[in-house]
Amino acid sequence: MMLKNFIFSPCYYCHQQQRQSKMSCYPDGRRLCSDCVQHIILTPEHLAIVAQWVMTQLDLLGFNFEKGSTQISLISQQRMKDLGHDQAQGLATSTILIDSMYAHQQHEKAQINIIYGMPVANLVWVLSHELGHVFVSQHQKKFKHSAEEEGFCQLLALIVSQRSKNPQMSKVIAKELQNPDPIYGNELRKAYQEYQTRGFHRYFSDYLDIK
């Protein structure tokens, strides 16, 4: 029995190795280290605070975002799987109105679902990413490939996250920039390189509220 105290596992979010005896575990199997568990978001009230902070950053950056038509909710990991997205931490679904007479499409509303229980820094990244998908829908922008849209959303998450002073945010940013995934990692790095070349206003010109 004593040996169990020396079994180490990686934190689901920051990947830090820690003794299992010091970790917290959700019913769905996610293990959190003692650092991450201090920052978790479990209630709609706390989610609303983080969402308001993210929306404020988007306003300060000058993004033209239609407010009041996007619902943000916390769901279980099992519910996310039931929606057909086993590995997703967040999911944005937009409702589009189609005018068949004029072949015109218009964004009506969006639902963003976020897995409950993630630390604030991770939540800021995931929520900013999903809002990127809502941006694309609201402005009816089209990408050549879905991977390019994911890169755009990852870049938006990076820019918002860089404005955060959360003590865990630097680790989240480093992890995402080094992500080996061909879509969420490679497309982020490609988008970031283009962003650095073109600059903020030129890269995001179609999404900014020019006054």
Side-chain angles (χ1 to χ4, degrees):
M1 293 295 292
M2 291 295 292
L3 291 177
K4 291 185 177 181
N5 292 329
F6 294 93
I7 297 176
F8 285 74
S9 291
C11 174
Y12 184 87
Y13 290 104
C14 73
H15 301 164
Q16 174 184 331
Q17 292 280 341
Q18 193 170 65
R19 289 183 184 178
Q20 287 187 3
S21 59
K22 294 185 177 181
M23 303 181 79
S24 299
C25 187
Y26 290 130
D28 56 34
R30 286 177 291 163
R31 291 185 182 275
L32 276 71
C33 69
S34 54
D35 290 333
C36 285
V37 79
Q38 297 180 57
H39 300 275
I40 57 176
I41 297 296
L42 296 172
T43 68
E45 292 77 16
H46 289 156
L47 170 64
I49 293 172
V50 177
Q52 182 58 56
W53 183 86
V54 171
M55 294 304 301
T56 297
Q57 306 315 305
L58 294 174
D59 280 341
L60 292 173
L61 286 165
F63 284 105
N64 181 9
F65 183 77
E66 178 187 334
K67 301 180 179 64
S69 62
T70 301
Q71 178 71 34
I72 305 171
S73 305
L74 292 174
I75 64 173
S76 68
Q77 193 171 60
Q78 182 58 53
R79 176 56 181 156
M80 187 68 81
K81 290 180 179 180
D82 293 342
L83 292 172
H85 297 269
D86 288 10
Q87 303 301 318
Q89 294 298 302
L91 177 66
T93 305
S94 295
T95 301
I96 306 297
L97 294 178
I98 301 177
D99 186 332
S100 57
M101 181 176 295
Y102 297 101
H104 176 70
Q105 295 185 356
Q106 181 179 347
H107 175 93
E108 181 184 22
K109 59 183 179 180
Q111 171 67 46
I112 295 178
N113 292 317
I114 303 287
I115 298 290
Y116 80 88
M118 68 177 68
V120 171
N122 299 81
L123 176 59
V124 166
W125 184 285
V126 172
L127 180 55
S128 300
H129 175 105
E130 299 306 330
L131 283 170
H133 288 298
V134 179
F135 270 173
V136 172
S137 178
Q138 286 186 354
H139 292 272
Q140 288 296 287
K141 298 300 179 183
K142 303 296 181 183
F143 291 83
K144 292 181 180 179
H145 306 286
S146 60
E148 292 182 5
E149 181 174 335
E150 295 298 342
F152 171 88
C153 295
Q154 283 287 80
L155 176 61
L156 184 64
L158 172 62
I159 291 171
V160 173
S161 297
Q162 286 175 331
R163 300 170 68 87
S164 171
K165 295 181 180 179
N166 184 284
Q168 292 189 308
M169 186 56 80
S170 61
K171 291 182 179 180
V172 171
I173 291 175
K175 182 183 72 172
E176 295 292 345
L177 285 173
Q178 296 167 15
N179 189 343
D181 187 90
I183 295 178
Y184 297 98
N186 289 353
E187 291 297 329
L188 165 59
R189 289 184 286 273
K190 285 169 58 178
Y192 188 41
Q193 184 176 19
E194 182 181 355
Y195 164 79
Q196 290 180 309
T197 299
R198 297 178 61 189
F200 177 85
H201 286 90
R202 288 183 62 195
Y203 186 93
F204 289 107
S205 59
D206 291 337
Y207 302 88
L208 297 177
D209 186 9
I210 306 299
K211 298 179 180 179

